Amino acid sequence: MRIDVISIFPEMIEQFASHSLLGRARRDGVFELRVLDLRSVATDPHRSVDDAPFGGGPGMVLAPEPIFDTVEQAGVARPLILLSAAGRRLDQPTVETLAAGDGLSLLCGRYEGVDERVRTALADDEISVGDYVLAGGEVAAMVVLEAVVRLLPGVMGNTDSGGDDSFSSGLLGHPQYTRPAEYRGMAVPEVLRSGDHGGVERWRRAQALARTQRQRPDLIAARGGLSEADLELLEEFDLLPEN
C-alpha cells in the first residue's frame, strides 16, 4: 500500500510515522509513505499557499493552485481524502475499507479551510475525526494513518488483534487484565483464570455488550437493540441493564 500525505508541515507527519508500529511497518516495506510539502510547488518568494477569502471574513484559505499542482505533479494515490471538520465522521468500517485498498492520499486542511474547488473537483472523499475543530489536518492525518496501517497484514504481532478491537464488531472492547491475579485487593475475574475458553469468550462478549449499552447506547441502537441471545448472555453474567 502507498499512502501520500499532503501538508504544509511535512516534518510533523514524518516524525510521527517513524515510531512504534508505523515506523516498523514502514521500514519493513509493509507500506510506502510519501509526505508531500505543499509549499514545494509555490512560486512566490514567500512560498505562499493561502490567500484571503473572497467576500471578506477572518483568517486565510488554502488556495487551489498549489493543491492541484501537488496532486497532479506527484500522481498521488487514490482515493484523495480531504481531512476537514465538515467531513463525514471516521469510523471503523471506513478504516477497514481503506485498509483493504491499494493506497490513499490525505490532504491536511489548514487555516479557515481549503478553496471549495478542491473539495468539489479534486477530492474523492471528505473525512472528519470528530465533532471538534483542530488547527489543521495533520493530527487527523496521523489518526487515519495509524488506524489504517495497523490493520495491514504483518503490522500487528497477533493477527487476531485487529478483529478484537473496539468497534470492529459494532461494540466497545471488553475489559482486559494481566498479572498479578490480585492487586491491592482487586482480583482478576475467576472465569479468565479458569482455562474454560468457551466461558471466557461468553464473559468477554457479555462485558462488551454491557459496556456498550452503558457508555455508547447509540451503538446498540444502530445494531437494532439487544437481541434475545444478547439478553440471555447478559442475564448469565448478571449484567442485564436496569429499567
Side-chain angles (χ1 to χ4, degrees), residues 73-162:
Q73 292 175 21
V76 303
R78 293 285 183 164
L80 171 61
I81 299 168
L82 171 62
L83 298 166
S84 159
R88 62 188 181 91
R89 191 184 299 181
L90 182 70
D91 57 18
Q92 191 64 21
T94 299
V95 170
E96 291 169 1
T97 298
L98 292 173
D102 295 325
L104 64 133
S105 295
L106 303 170
L107 172 58
C108 302
R110 270 281 155 180
Y111 312 120
E112 295 302 310
V114 303
D115 185 286
E116 185 67 14
R117 289 163 289 190
V118 172
R119 176 181 285 107
T120 57
L122 191 63
D124 301 306
D125 200 352
E126 187 173 4
I127 285 178
S128 168
V129 295
D131 294 341
Y132 45 84
V133 178
L134 299 168
E138 283 73 21
V139 171
M142 296 176 198
V143 170
V144 177
L145 189 61
E146 179 157 300
V148 169
V149 170
R150 67 186 298 274
L151 294 184
L152 299 181
V155 173
M156 289 188 287
N158 185 342
T159 56
D160 294 330
S161 293

Side-chain angles (χ1 to χ4, degrees), residues 137-193:
E138 283 73 21
V139 171
M142 296 176 198
V143 170
V144 177
L145 189 61
E146 179 157 300
V148 169
V149 170
R150 67 186 298 274
L151 294 184
L152 299 181
V155 173
M156 289 188 287
N158 185 342
T159 56
D160 294 330
S161 293
D164 202 33
D165 289 335
S166 291
F167 306 111
S168 291
S169 62
L171 301 173
L172 300 182
H174 55 75
Q176 299 278 12
Y177 294 89
T178 188
R179 293 181 291 182
E182 186 168 337
Y183 180 71
R184 297 190 176 186
M186 297 175 284
V188 174
E190 180 60 34
V191 64
L192 298 181
R193 296 180 284 166

Side-chain angles (χ1 to χ4, degrees), residues 38-65:
L38 197 57
R39 294 189 188 279
S40 67
V41 299
T43 56
D44 69 298
H46 301 291
R47 302 178 72 204
S48 301
V49 295
D50 60 320
D51 210 335
F54 276 110
M60 304 291 278
V61 175
L62 282 177
E65 185 175 8

